[in-house]
Amino acid sequence: MLVACEFLLEELVKYLETHLIETNSSWLRLRFSHIYKTSFQNNQLQGLQKWCNDIMAKYPDKLFESEDFTSLPENALISLIRRDDLQMEERKIWNYVIKWGIAQNPGLSSDPTSWTNENFLALKATLKNCLPFIRFFQMTNDDIVDIVNPYHQILEKNLWDDILKRFLTPNRQISSIILPPRVILTHKLPSRVTEPFSTVINEMHAAEIASWVDKKAEAYSVINNPYEFKLLLRGSRDGFTRESFWNLCDQQTNTVLIIKVNGTDEILGGYNPTFWDKSKGWISCNDSFIFSMKNGTIQSSILSRVKKPQYAIYCFSGYGPQFGSGGDLYMANNFNQINNCYCQYNSYERAIRNTNCVSYFSVSEYEIFQIQKKG
């Protein structure tokens, strides 16, 4: 196809594009990054460009959060940000465009407060073809003050005056073109006709846990969570005893423990990326963590990563799951009975309950999931 482009065989190029898209879309998806870059390096490949952008518009994080985002060709970036159906908040689009523009000017600091007038002029020249597609008039007042104002010198004076005028006196007429808001789709979760995914956590909780597993700075959204949560055990179904835990979870790897604390809104849990082995004793691990999740009256989640890897996980048939040498998260037996579980701060970075001493509790429900990358 690229050879056909070189020889200006337009009909053959279009035929090959159509053939690839209609009959080999799975092959294209497996090589998406390469296909995306290649298609925008040759303006004859309009069909592939559109095919790629239709995917990117729905899942822009795949591109904007990638390590090589700043090496994106200008025409590829513009083709995305001009779309009405780009599924991203305008403030994020603006931040990414600024990030891309700064990267095109080696030596330019990421802190605009230290810039000279020449620095702003350089960024303005770099982004001159991108700025017309930013929907400034669809941003909030806070966005304008917090993220646009520091860079207002790269905007035309008339545009900046109209932006200020619009938000100070909304009813006053302005001369700048007001682009419509982007059409953000409402994603509906598929209806479940089988056993519920979980009786304790929801899809947003699962996405947050997945982001902790991958050590992401920002949580995955529900639609881009890369992990499946396969239920191995549910207390109300399989029992709240150590025996039921080991019968169903012994030798299982990559598991997430979820606990609903009895009588509170608390959701506690732990991630074991290794395996459970009731005869093993201490299992060393660098990537395990325990947590408390935002829920009901609990206003924020707490993530606590292991700080003593040699005491990350303890396996013994006489107990249930245990994280940490002092029982940072410990379940003894008959977990739904009073005082048979507890937390205390020892082998992990932070306490996951609001206490500095041993904190006993019982569970009203608990679940064990095995997580794996979606196919």
Side-chain angles (χ1 to χ4, degrees), residues 189 192 197 201-229 256 258 289 291 293 301 305 371 374:
L189 296 177
R192 298 183 182 273
F197 148 68
I201 62 172
N202 57 35
E203 298 280 4
M204 292 184 66
H205 288 133
E208 186 171 29
I209 293 170
S211 70
W212 293 336
V213 170
D214 286 349
K215 299 182 179 179
K216 292 287 186 180
E218 293 187 11
Y220 287 120
S221 68
V222 170
I223 61 172
N224 70 359
N225 181 354
Y227 290 97
E228 290 180 326
F229 280 58
V256 175
I258 302 293
F289 56 81
F291 55 85
M293 308 212 76
S301 298
R305 296 192 182 276
I371 66 170
K374 294 178 180 176

Side-chain angles (χ1 to χ4, degrees), residues 164-175:
L164 295 179
K165 188 185 300 181
R166 180 74 172 182
F167 289 106
L168 290 173
T169 55
N171 296 324
R172 186 168 297 185
Q173 190 170 1
I174 59 177
S175 59

Side-chain angles (χ1 to χ4, degrees), residues 90-101:
E90 206 63 35
R91 67 187 320 273
K92 285 189 175 182
I93 296 171
W94 167 257
N95 284 334
Y96 281 118
V97 168
I98 292 294
K99 177 182 178 181
W100 181 88

Side-chain angles (χ1 to χ4, degrees), residues 297-367:
T297 60
I298 310 300
Q299 295 302 304
S300 60
S301 298
I302 297 174
L303 169 63
S304 180
R305 296 192 182 276
V306 66
K307 67 177 182 180
K308 298 178 182 178
Q310 68 273 29
Y311 300 123
I313 309 292
Y314 188 64
C315 297
F316 174 55
S317 60
Y319 306 139
Q322 178 174 334
F323 293 79
S325 59
D328 294 68
L329 179 57
Y330 168 81
M331 302 175 74
N333 189 24
N334 299 318
F335 316 131
N336 58 340
Q337 294 183 12
I338 192 168
N339 291 348
N340 275 359
C341 305
Y342 66 79
C343 293
Q344 67 175 341
Y345 172 57
N346 195 306
S347 301
Y348 285 74
E349 294 174 337
R350 306 171 61 189
I352 58 173
R353 300 195 83 195
N354 294 325
T355 178
N356 293 321
C357 58
V358 179
S359 175
Y360 292 94
F361 63 91
S362 61
V363 308
S364 58
E365 182 63 284
Y366 93 109
E367 298 170 329

Side-chain angles (χ1 to χ4, degrees), residues 1-13 16 42 44-45:
M1 185 172 61
L2 295 177
V3 171
C5 288
E6 291 183 17
F7 284 96
L8 303 179
L9 302 175
E10 295 182 9
E11 290 187 7
L12 179 57
V13 170
L16 292 173
N42 192 318
Q44 295 182 63
L45 303 180

